[in-house]
Amino acid sequence: MFKSSCPLTVFQGISLPSLKRLRPAAKYMLVLLLAPGLVAGALGQSAVAGSTQDKGTAGNSSVTPQDGLNATTPSQPRGSIHIVPMGRGIGSLKTGSAPANAHLTYFGGPVAASLHAVAVFWGPNVNPAITGANGIDQFFTDITSSRYYDLLTEYSTLGAPSPSNTSSNQLINHGVFDGKFTITPSVCSGNPACTITDAEIQAELTAQINASHLPAPVNDGVIETFYMIYFPPGVTISLSVADRSCVTFCAYHSSTPALIPYGVLPDFAPPSGCSVGCGRGSLFQNVTAVTSHEMSETITDLQVGSAIANAPPLAWYDPSPPPTPDLGEIGDICNGQDATVTAGNNSYSVQAEFSNLQNDCVINPPVMNLTNPTGGVGPNLPFNLKLTIQSSVNASTLSSYTGTVHFSSPDATAVLPADYTFVSADAGSHVFSVTLKNPGSQTINVVDTHSSGFNGSVSVVVNTTPDLVVSKTHSGNFLVGQTGATYTITASNIGGASTVGTVTVVDTLPPGLTATAISGTGWTCTLATLTCTRADGLAGGSSYPAITLTVNVDPNASQGQVTNTVNIAGGGETNLGNDAANDLTSIVAPITDLQAAISGNASAFQGDTGLTLTEQVSNIGTIPSTGVVTATTTLGTGLSATAISGTGWGCTLATLTCTRSDALAAGAIYPVITVTFSISSTAPASAVASFAVSGGGDANAGNNTANFGLSISQVVTITTTTPNAAVLAGQPATFAFHVGAGAAAGTVSFSCTGLPAAATCSFSPTSVTGSSATVTMTVSTTAHAATIGAYHGPSGKNPLIIPGLLFLAGLAALTLGVRAPRRRQLVPALGMAGVLIVGILAGCGGGGSSTAANLLNTGTPAGAYVITFTASGPGGTASKTVNLTVQ
């Protein structure tokens, strides 16, 4: 609060002894004189304080139909209450996948690295289905080390980026159950029926912990203990007049001012509204499903009860900017989507939780699928092992996976891959080389180094006997009537020992193919039976020289696909399950098939010149082209050609047509045609260029035309990857923009508008010329500071002048009205009053504008601001807005 400086200025030179020396009348007049000054000072103080007072209500919590953040002033944070809304048992509730565009963002707050769950029973009358044997205690014991719990490890925060550039750097591991406890509450035990507030629940929880009736919180830098409180019949939990248990919510979780996480679950038994509104299963199934919702949200958003903005201590949350509804925490996105899981030796009803990676509501982590080599492998022989990351819902490959994996094996001598980080080109699948050395069944394990619950394994048989396999390949399609088509047959030993005895390979041709030759180095082959044999030993991990089978295609062979089969046997092998191979072959009619293709830079700017298209004609048929081949280009609106040419082509710019008559062999490509073009300054946002080929005896018109889509940007464009930032006053906020600038833009410079008071912006780089660049805008804010100066009333007028003059006039009248002897006694008081009035006038100012008014928090004000970033050049201008929150 501010105080008026006037009383201090007027009386700072008057000491207590000097006041004692005043005669009674003088003292009386001094008190009268002081009164208006003190009153005016108080009024001035109230006026200033009233203009800056906090409008927040400390200790009050607000709720929404589902979890949400409560806005409040930073100086008086209040806990957020995150509810499970009623309606989980209503048929209209969503039961499918997650809402569109759902995604949890990490805002920098802590998670529970190893949750310590405590079941708290509010008195002895909690439903026995919860408190009894194999009740909620067994649920927590089993579920905290289950595959369901493993899915939450996706939200470990080690190295996780956040808008605030802060991270708790934690790895989520399995939790533990620290026991169940029945307390004797000091308020609202349910008998008789009663209503209790969240503030009373927090106070009782704190008191029970302090009295050692409940385990003390486990603290490893953050409090990891989660107290899940179950209530008996007769207790109504009231969060507000409108928000009551089993009326608007089934449960909720939050954290106390001391950052202790807790959950609240009312009685679910009939006739409670929760018995029909909180799930579709039995009472215990509904309780475990809602408990799993609250447990999962606590693990991934540990201190949400203290969060007042999209910033720490908030952890994983989906604020879903308008107009999309606030989707909330990991459980809110999937509210009501219950399923059954196996944990320990029991089955439980749980709620599905949202997975960013799987982009769905799930009850299991992704599948780390390792392929098992068919027939096993030999010792000390490298083999390929394919790892595919799959959805736990439908086994589809998670192509966006970019985690780091680590391999291990009980075979201490195994040669395993080094840790590998998936890249986008892997598309969720990668092949690794592995060598196992000890015979028998060996296990290979894989785990994500960030999300320990993402893991998998495979058992591979390492054998010490030969194991023969055979493969067959061919090139291209076979033509009706073709002669001299070939197959290649390869025999290999993938076992752990050399072959012994004769190895036999037999091929079986389909109808329409006739063998004309079969041979291979070291092989003895018989054309009549398409059989080849040899008896020399083949070491494990090796292959014999290939066998070549030559065939003719019958002139009357049917077009379509046929299968050629080959088998291998002998050599002392014992595994006969991998001794056959098939080769699917397409038989087609001989045709000329001209195909058109067009390519270029897919994006450009209005006004660009000298751009090119590359056009190509190929023959994917089986016989050469004959006669004239014509290639035609068509440009879309806003595009104009300036040149067209190609080696061996005769081209006309006016019609964008090129021709040639030389034959194009099967499988060959003509030299490319290059079209040079410009884009008008008024071209639309997109245009299509078409390239078509005709003639040459082409027999398939379905691939004669190719289109090329061109995205055309304005001369200047702006995108951003940092649309929001939140900082404390005095800290800088950084926004990154990608500024696209075409050649016609010229030199583009930058500016900003919409800044809060006492803030500035700067740019790096300061400008770009005819090119695109990433531009960083730094908004520098000013820290809050308190300044106390002289207070002046409205319009700079001193509020003490009028009261002072009135009392001076009154004192003068009093003096004149008494008799002369008494009048002389009042002269000193009158003189002192005059001195005081002069002091007031001098000390408090006498008018004019108020240039030294009281100020508080004179830095950048807290609030939300929309800042406009503008890029402007001679050729065009563009703007982009971002959001800045100053706390």
Side-chain angles (χ1 to χ4, degrees):
M1 288 191 177
F2 296 131
K3 296 182 179 179
S4 173
S5 63
C6 294
L8 178 61
T9 302
V10 172
F11 298 109
Q12 60 185 357
I14 302 176
S15 64
L16 183 60
S18 65
L19 292 176
K20 289 181 178 179
R21 289 195 294 270
L22 294 178
R23 295 187 180 184
K27 293 178 182 178
Y28 174 73
M29 295 308 299
L30 182 59
V31 171
L32 292 177
L33 183 62
L34 282 173
L38 294 173
V39 172
L43 290 175
Q45 174 177 324
S46 298
V48 177
S51 65
T52 59
Q53 66 185 7
D54 189 346
K55 300 301 191 295
T57 304
N60 291 339
S61 299
S62 61
V63 296
T64 58
Q66 65 177 23
D67 297 8
L69 292 177
N70 297 316
T72 186
T73 57
S75 60
Q76 291 183 325
R78 57 189 183 182
S80 297
I81 300 298
H82 286 245
I83 68 169
V84 177
M86 288 283 288
R88 300 182 80 256
I90 297 175
S92 62
L93 186 73
K94 63 181 184 295
T95 57
S97 58
N101 302 317
H103 186 83
L104 292 167
T105 298
Y106 178 57
F107 287 102
V111 296
S114 180
L115 187 79
H116 288 253
V118 174
V120 181
F121 305 140
W122 195 271
N125 297 321
V126 176
N127 195 293
I130 301 172
T131 63
N134 296 318
I136 205 66
D137 55 343
Q138 192 63 48
F139 169 78
F140 274 121
T141 299
D142 292 339
I143 212 70
T144 50
S145 59
S146 66
R147 292 296 286 163
Y148 174 78
Y149 196 101
D150 284 341
L151 74 88
L152 303 175
T153 65
E154 175 179 348
Y155 299 103
S156 295
T157 63
L158 184 63
S162 71
S164 60
N165 294 320
T166 59
S167 174
S168 63
N169 288 316
Q170 298 168 277
L171 291 175
I172 296 178
N173 300 293
H174 280 165
V176 293
F177 178 54
D178 284 349
K180 59 181 180 180
F181 300 85
T182 300
I183 64 173
T184 302
S186 61
V187 293
C188 198
S189 64
N191 190 13
C194 54
T195 298
I196 190 170
T197 67
D198 181 67
E200 291 174 310
I201 293 173
Q202 290 192 35
E204 186 69 38
L205 174 62
T206 301
Q208 294 287 338
I209 294 172
N210 291 339
S212 299
H213 297 152
L214 293 174
V218 174
N219 190 327
D220 64 353
V222 295
I223 294 177
E224 302 269 7
T225 302
F226 171 53
Y227 299 89
M228 189 65 203
I229 307 172
Y230 299 90
F231 283 82
V235 177
T236 298
I237 298 105
S238 174
L239 298 178
S240 69
V241 174
D243 295 300
R244 302 167 72 85
S245 59
C246 302
V247 177
T248 58
F249 64 86
C250 299
Y252 67 83
H253 76 105
S254 187
S255 55
T256 72
L259 303 181
I260 298 174
Y262 68 98
V264 170
L265 194 146
D267 180 56
F268 276 14
S272 161
C274 289
S275 65
V276 294
C278 295
R280 303 177 182 85
S282 67
L283 182 147
F284 187 66
Q285 287 173 331
N286 294 341
V287 167
T288 58
V290 174
T291 297
S292 69
H293 175 127
E294 301 294 15
M295 178 192 73
S296 300
E297 292 189 337
T298 299
I299 293 167
T300 56
D301 204 3
L302 189 63
Q303 294 178 0
V304 66
S306 298
I308 59 174
N310 291 335
L314 193 67
W316 293 96
Y317 197 86
D318 185 348
S320 295
T324 304
D326 186 329
L327 294 181
E329 296 177 301
I330 185 174
D332 303 323
I333 299 174
C334 307
N335 187 36
Q337 298 188 35
D338 297 347
T340 301
V341 300
T342 299
N345 296 319
N346 300 292
S347 295
Y348 298 102
S349 180
V350 297
Q351 184 195 282
E353 311 297 336
F354 184 73
S355 165
N356 277 350
L357 177 60
Q358 300 182 67
N359 193 34
D360 209 342
C361 295
V362 301
I363 58 173
N364 286 298
V367 177
M368 310 283 271
N369 183 24
L370 290 166
T371 56
N372 191 341
T374 303
V377 299
N380 299 304
L381 297 176
F383 65 94
N384 288 334
L385 190 65
K386 186 177 183 180
L387 171 61
T388 303
I389 315 301
Q390 298 175 327
S391 165
S392 64
V393 177
N394 54 25
S396 61
T397 299
L398 301 176
S399 58
S400 62
Y401 178 77
T402 54
T404 300
V405 294
H406 172 77
F407 290 88
S408 62
S409 174
D411 182 356
T413 63
V415 180
L416 301 174
D419 288 2
Y420 177 78
T421 300
F422 276 66
V423 296
S424 56
D426 289 321
S429 184
H430 191 81
V431 176
F432 300 89
S433 177
V434 177
T435 302
L436 297 173
K437 298 187 177 183
N438 293 327
S441 179
Q442 301 294 344
T443 300
I444 300 173
N445 303 308
V446 63
V447 63
D448 184 296
T449 60
H450 176 271
S451 305
S452 60
F454 297 5
N455 53 64
S457 64
V458 65
S459 294
V460 179
V461 175
V462 181
N463 56 50
T464 55
T465 59
D467 186 6
L468 293 174
V469 295
V470 65
S471 64
K472 171 182 279 192
T473 61
H474 74 279
S475 179
N477 298 328
F478 290 0
L479 306 179
V480 174
Q482 181 181 356
T483 60
T486 60
Y487 288 102
T488 299
I489 302 170
T490 302
S492 304
N493 179 7
I494 63 171
S498 177
T499 61
V500 178
T502 301
V503 175
T504 301
V505 172
V506 178
D507 189 88
T508 303
L509 285 176
L513 301 181
T514 302
T516 59
I518 185 170
S519 64
T521 302
W523 291 94
T524 300
C525 299
T526 302
L527 180 61
T529 58
L530 296 182
T531 301
C532 295
T533 60
R534 64 191 304 156
D536 52 324
L538 179 63
S542 302
S543 298
Y544 284 126
I547 299 170
T548 300
L549 171 62
T550 305
V551 299
N552 290 341
V553 183
D554 296 346
N556 59 351
S558 299
Q559 298 182 40
Q561 292 185 324
V562 295
T563 301
N564 190 354
T565 302
V566 62
N567 289 272
I568 192 168
E573 70 165 349
T574 58
N575 177 27
L576 308 182
N578 55 357
D579 288 352
N582 295 320
D583 188 11
L584 194 64
T585 306
S586 295
I587 299 177
V588 299
I591 60 170
T592 298
D593 188 0
L594 299 182
Q595 184 179 55
I598 183 173
S599 62
N601 193 331
S603 61
F605 291 90
Q606 292 173 338
D608 279 355
T609 60
L611 302 175
T612 59
L613 295 172
T614 299
E615 301 170 336
Q616 182 176 281
V617 177
S618 59
N619 182 1
I620 62 173
T622 55
I623 57 176
S625 65
T626 57
V628 176
V629 174
T630 301
T632 303
T633 303
T634 303
L635 297 180
T637 303
L639 310 183
S640 58
T642 57
I644 182 170
S645 64
T647 302
W649 291 93
C651 298
T652 303
L653 178 60
T655 60
L656 294 182
T657 300
C658 298
T659 60
R660 64 191 304 154
S661 299
D662 52 322
L664 181 61
I669 302 172
Y670 279 134
V672 299
I673 299 171
T674 301
V675 177
T676 305
F677 68 99
S678 300
I679 302 177
S680 74
S681 60
T682 59
S686 63
V688 176
S690 297
F691 177 61
V693 62
S694 60
D698 178 71
N700 177 23
N703 56 0
N704 289 164
T705 301
N707 295 320
F708 173 75
L710 179 64
S711 176
I712 303 173
S713 301
Q714 295 178 340
V715 178
V716 180
T717 62
I718 302 174
T719 59
T720 181
T721 56
T722 54
N724 304 289
V727 297
L728 296 175
Q731 293 182 346
T734 301
F735 299 91
F737 301 93
H738 179 76
V739 177
T747 298
V748 177
S749 57
F750 314 113
S751 62
C752 72
T753 57
L755 291 174
T760 60
C761 64
S762 59
F763 308 95
S764 177
T766 57
S767 64
V768 296
T769 302
S771 63
S772 300
T774 297
V775 178
T776 300
M777 179 177 73
T778 301
V779 177
S780 299
T781 62
T782 303
H784 296 168
T787 302
I788 300 179
Y791 173 79
H792 301 295
S795 302
K797 296 180 179 179
N798 193 324
L800 300 182
I801 295 175
I802 294 176
L805 292 175
L806 289 175
F807 273 80
L808 181 59
L811 181 59
L814 178 63
T815 302
L816 295 174
V818 299
R819 285 181 282 180
R822 301 292 294 170
R823 188 182 305 159
R824 287 194 296 272
Q825 295 179 7
L826 294 177
V827 168
L830 181 61
M832 179 173 289
V835 171
L836 292 175
I837 292 300
V838 172
I840 291 171
L841 294 174
C844 297
S849 62
S850 175
T851 59
N854 283 323
L855 300 175
L856 180 63
N857 296 336
T858 55
T860 302
Y865 302 93
V866 178
I867 298 175
T868 301
F869 169 79
T870 300
S872 181
T877 298
S879 296
K880 187 74 174 179
T881 60
V882 292
N883 300 303
L884 172 64
T885 301
V886 179
Q887 300 173 350

